[in-house]
Amino acid sequence: MQEHFNENYMESSKFPKATFKGKIDDLTKVKLDQEGSYTAPVSGDLTLHGVTKAVTTTANFVVKNGKISVSANFKAVLVDYGISIPSLVADKLAKDAKINITGTLEKMK
């Protein structure tokens, strides 16, 4: 079902990638030079299906051995990103997508 959704509604061959470019809204909540786990608000732009929208959510940061990993989870309303679901199957599919972001932060050079 996921493959069918990706091919027919997300149009993965036409829009193979989604991107999130954002920033930590309250940098005092994350001690980038001190090991530990932190939670902080983040905001940025999510580009999905060729449409870019502003997003605000909470992210989790883990600082360990000099590396910073980040993860965030939120929902995106499909119609906001130009993804239409035919009424025939609309009651079988969620109207929003769960977005899971993971990454590693590096110092800019």
Side-chain angles (χ1 to χ4, degrees):
M1 186 168 182
Q2 183 178 0
E3 184 178 336
H4 175 75
F5 178 80
N6 286 338
E7 289 176 0
N8 294 299
Y9 307 119
M10 291 298 294
E11 300 177 282
S12 296
S13 60
K14 188 176 178 182
F15 304 103
K17 294 184 180 182
T19 61
F20 177 79
K21 294 181 183 181
K23 64 181 177 95
I24 303 170
D25 293 331
D26 186 355
L27 201 51
T28 64
K29 302 245 182 211
V30 182
K31 294 179 174 46
L32 299 174
D33 56 350
Q34 184 177 339
E35 289 201 3
S37 297
Y38 308 94
T39 301
V42 295
S43 60
D45 293 325
L46 174 67
T47 301
L48 180 66
H49 200 249
V51 178
T52 302
K53 298 277 185 184
V55 172
T56 301
T57 191
T58 301
N60 300 307
F61 298 85
V62 175
V63 180
K64 187 173 181 179
N65 298 326
K67 298 186 187 240
I68 305 164
S69 59
V70 60
S71 62
N73 301 300
F74 56 92
K75 292 184 178 184
V77 179
L78 296 174
V79 70
D80 290 349
Y81 292 88
I83 301 166
S84 59
I85 307 296
S87 58
L88 183 64
V89 293
D91 60 331
K92 296 177 182 169
L93 297 174
K95 295 185 180 1
D96 49 32
K98 293 179 186 176
I99 307 295
N100 300 314
I101 296 174
T102 59
T104 302
L105 303 181
E106 295 180 10
K107 289 184 179 182
M108 294 180 66
K109 298 176 182 177

